[in-house]
Each structure stands twice: as C-alpha cells, then as structure tokens.
Amino acid sequence: GETVGQPALGWKGEYDYASLTVVEDAQGDKPRRCLKFEKRTGSGSANYVCHFPKAAGRVVVEFDIRCDDKNKYLLGFYVEKDEDFKQSVHTIVHRTDSKTQPTLRIQGEPVPYDLGSWCHLKYDMNLLAGLVTAFVDGKQVVRDAKLPTNPAFVNTLSIRDNLATTGVLYLDNIKIYKA
C-alpha cells in the first residue's frame, strides 16, 4: 500500500547521493512493489534502518533480494541488535572489482550469484545458542554457524554500504517471525 516513487515507510536515512524508495518492479512473471536502494556515486557511506519489536529466542527472517548493479566493495542487508552491524546476521553482495562475478556472502559463506536475479533467503537464528542456519532458494548454505557475538535479541533491519560503493539493490517480502 505504499506510494511508488516515495521513501519507504518506517525506514530512516537520508542522503544526497543515495536513496531508498518504493518501486514497481516489472521483472519476472508479474509486477511487484518492492524497496530499491540506489547509489550511483561513491560519495559517502549510507545506512538505512528500520526498527521492529525485539525478537529473542528462535527467530526466522526471510526476504527476497536482487542486485542489478554493483562495483567493488560492500553492499548488504543486515538483521541487527540496536543498529549494531557487529551484532548481526548479514547478506552481503561481494565483488572484488567491477569485472568479476559477484557472490552473496551469507554470514561469511560465499554463494554464487548472478546480477539481476531474484533469490529468496531465509535465516533461522537460535539466539539462545548463538547459532544461525541459512538457506538460499530453499537450499541450505550455512548450518549452525556460530555468531561472532550473540545478541540477546534483534530489532533492526539495515541496508549498509561503504564510502566507495555504488549499486542498485532490491528487497521484497521481508518476514520476521518466531520459530
């Protein structure tokens, strides 16, 4: 129900060189309304955040992600405690330079990725044990990986990049629920 072309409701962050808007995406079988992060110049780092009620214990986060364009460096989607990327589960589009094939780094594990393709990610986080299991398009790619720091809860979604990053990233169908 959000307005196409406008900033996404509930997300905070404002930059002259980056944007996060609601778009109508015509790629695929049927059009879909989704979030579009876009940064065309490496003018500074951007961080868009969206808070949700604290989720503790066993938490599942699912979402669809697509990256159409990316130079080198970092661009990612994080599920965090209190906007702290060091206490997070993360998906990073990784590329060493603009000529190499990117990978998705799923909690540090590389997974092949084709620019411009949608994929579905699912994280099953056991915050009691400090473990995460991850799936890409239904295939398990990480099993019971130990979280570097074990947050007691998660309550923030973030889209993060760094100073020199440029890229276009889409997100859709974000779901957070207790397992």
Side-chain angles (χ1 to χ4, degrees):
E2 294 188 42
T3 305
V4 171
Q6 294 298 308
L9 295 176
W11 288 82
K12 296 178 185 173
E14 191 172 322
Y15 305 92
D16 292 336
Y17 50 84
S19 62
L20 182 65
T21 56
V22 176
V23 298
E24 190 78 30
D25 177 42
Q27 183 183 18
D29 297 338
K30 60 181 180 176
R32 61 157 108 191
R33 203 167 276 192
C34 57
L35 297 177
K36 179 184 181 183
F37 168 88
E38 185 170 24
K39 184 174 157 194
R40 293 290 182 189
T41 62
S43 303
S45 58
N47 179 28
Y48 288 92
V49 298
C50 180
H51 294 278
F52 58 89
K54 291 179 182 177
R58 190 121 172 259
V59 179
V60 176
V61 178
E62 295 188 56
F63 57 94
D64 297 330
I65 189 169
R66 183 178 106 208
C67 183
D68 282 1
D69 183 30
K70 167 126 176 30
N71 69 345
K72 56 186 178 176
Y73 304 115
L74 166 92
L75 177 57
F77 182 61
Y78 296 72
V79 181
E80 308 167 332
K81 176 186 177 198
D82 294 335
E83 297 183 35
D84 182 358
F85 72 91
K86 293 179 182 175
Q87 296 189 73
S88 72
V89 172
H90 52 273
T91 305
I92 297 171
V93 181
H94 184 259
R95 199 173 197 185
T96 54
D97 62 55
S98 62
K99 293 176 179 64
T100 60
Q101 185 66 21
T103 59
L104 289 179
R105 307 246 338 143
I106 310 296
Q107 202 62 22
E109 288 295 317
V111 175
Y113 179 70
D114 293 322
L115 284 176
S117 64
W118 281 104
C119 59
H120 181 77
L121 274 79
K122 177 180 176 181
Y123 287 103
D124 185 345
M125 298 179 279
N126 182 338
L127 299 178
L128 299 172
L131 302 173
V132 64
T133 297
F135 303 83
V136 175
D137 291 331
K139 180 182 174 196
Q140 187 176 56
V141 295
V142 172
R143 179 175 175 79
D144 292 334
K146 188 80 174 142
L147 295 170
T149 60
N150 186 22
F153 60 88
V154 290
N155 64 347
T156 310
L157 300 175
S158 292
I159 299 169
R160 295 178 176 276
D161 73 353
N162 64 11
L163 181 68
T165 299
T166 60
V168 178
L169 180 77
Y170 296 86
L171 293 167
D172 196 15
N173 299 317
I174 301 169
K175 299 174 191 158
I176 305 163
Y177 55 93
K178 297 287 280 181

